Amino acid sequence: GGSPCEGIMRETRPCTDKVGHRNCMFSTWSMWTVCPVTCGGAQRSRSRSIEAHAKGDGLRCKGHLLENGVCGQEQCPDAKLGTCELSAWSGWSICMVTCGMGTQTRNRSIAQPAPGGLEGCKGALQDMRPCQVQPCGQAVDCRWGEWQHWTDCTPSPDMCGVGYKRRQRGIDVLPKDGGQLCPPRTREEVVPVVNCKGQPQCCINGEWADWNSWGTCSATCGLGSKQRHRKLLVKETWCGEPAPGSDR
């Protein structure tokens, strides 16, 4: 039953900068975004903005406006550490011909992608073997076709990790009427792809830069010592290994 608020909520007025110089000023960082997972590892972010741009000879803005951080690093209760898991092979299909030599296939799939940052999937997803029915006529030997081009890579389902790509090949000529069988070979394969479509790896090991030149001797006569230094080129991530050794 009270009266509504009345009045101006913000006023502005002109001002002058007597000095004419001003340094850039950032806002404070925002709160971290909500972690998309509770376990298994993911990333969250926070941001800030430029509240006041540099003026005159003031210091220009230098620094990030968006920052990423690791979150949810606890291991999931049902998580399986290790590499990608493939399903069991299916049963063999029926023979693909009604007479002579043919082929049978069986398949399997990716049952569990590799956890972020670990080794990606690698192995055959389809297998083939010869089969023989009743003879037909003049013998024709079996011949494998060439590999097709690799497919575009598929990124890991996580925000970081290792993706994969596939390629296939088939039998160009099936054996006929007692012709030679094709030797057993992989028909479809998958291999891991690092940096798939720009996706970063999760587990990156630390790496040193090259050594600097040796410094001057600590003594002008007699026995002394020299030192040299190196800088950390790549800092390890939360699941990577620190760079071995020291900086001097």
Side-chain angles (χ1 to χ4, degrees):
S3 300
C5 297
E6 295 183 359
I8 299 172
M9 298 186 66
R10 177 183 294 182
E11 290 184 325
T12 60
R13 69 178 183 182
C15 61
T16 60
D17 190 339
K18 296 181 179 180
V19 179
H21 306 293
R22 180 178 61 203
N23 294 336
C24 169
M25 184 170 63
F26 286 106
S27 68
T28 58
W29 285 103
S30 68
M31 299 292 290
W32 286 103
T33 58
V34 178
C35 190
V37 299
T38 58
C39 62
Q43 285 188 312
R44 60 181 180 174
S45 62
R46 64 178 182 174
S47 61
R48 62 179 176 178
S49 60
I50 297 175
E51 287 192 344
H53 288 274
K55 185 177 180 181
D57 294 332
L59 297 176
R60 296 313 190 249
C61 298
K62 185 176 182 181
H64 299 292
L65 297 180
L66 180 65
E67 186 176 49
N68 292 324
V70 179
C71 65
Q73 298 184 51
E74 295 80 7
Q75 181 179 333
C76 297
D78 58 347
K80 296 181 179 180
L81 297 177
T83 59
C84 163
E85 292 186 14
L86 301 176
S87 68
W89 286 105
S90 66
W92 288 101
S93 67
I94 61 173
C95 200
M96 295 182 181
V97 296
T98 56
C99 64
M101 300 302 299
T103 57
Q104 294 174 292
T105 59
R106 61 176 182 175
N107 302 278
R108 61 179 175 179
S109 60
I110 299 175
Q112 175 64 49
L118 299 181
E119 185 178 348
C121 299
K122 185 176 183 179
L125 297 180
Q126 188 174 64
D127 199 8
M128 180 178 291
R129 72 178 183 184
C131 57
Q132 185 172 12
V133 195
Q134 59 185 359
C136 297
Q138 185 176 356
V140 176
D141 292 338
C142 175
R143 187 175 72 247
W144 278 99
E146 298 296 327
W147 282 108
Q148 298 176 4
H149 294 297
W150 287 102
T151 63
D152 289 338
C153 69
T154 301
S156 168
D158 300 319
M159 295 184 67
C160 59
V162 179
Y164 65 91
K165 62 181 179 180
R166 307 182 184 192
R167 68 174 180 175
Q168 295 179 326
R169 63 179 172 185
I171 291 180
D172 278 354
V173 178
L174 293 173
K176 182 180 179 183
D177 299 339
Q180 294 293 321
L181 304 179
C182 278
R185 292 179 182 173
T186 301
R187 185 172 183 180
E188 182 177 6
E189 63 181 0
V190 58
V191 294
V193 178
V194 176
N195 195 31
C196 175
K197 298 182 179 177
Q199 183 179 47
Q201 297 184 66
C202 294
C203 296
I204 299 176
N205 296 332
E207 183 180 344
W208 292 108
D210 292 334
W211 286 102
N212 293 335
S213 300
W214 285 102
T216 58
C217 187
S218 61
T220 57
C221 62
L223 185 62
S225 63
K226 291 183 178 181
Q227 287 188 350
R228 63 177 181 175
H229 301 81
R230 59 181 176 178
K231 294 182 178 180
L232 189 64
L233 183 64
V234 178
K235 181 173 176 56
E236 74 276 4
T237 58
W238 63 275
C239 56
E241 294 292 335
S246 66
D247 62 348
R248 63 182 65 189

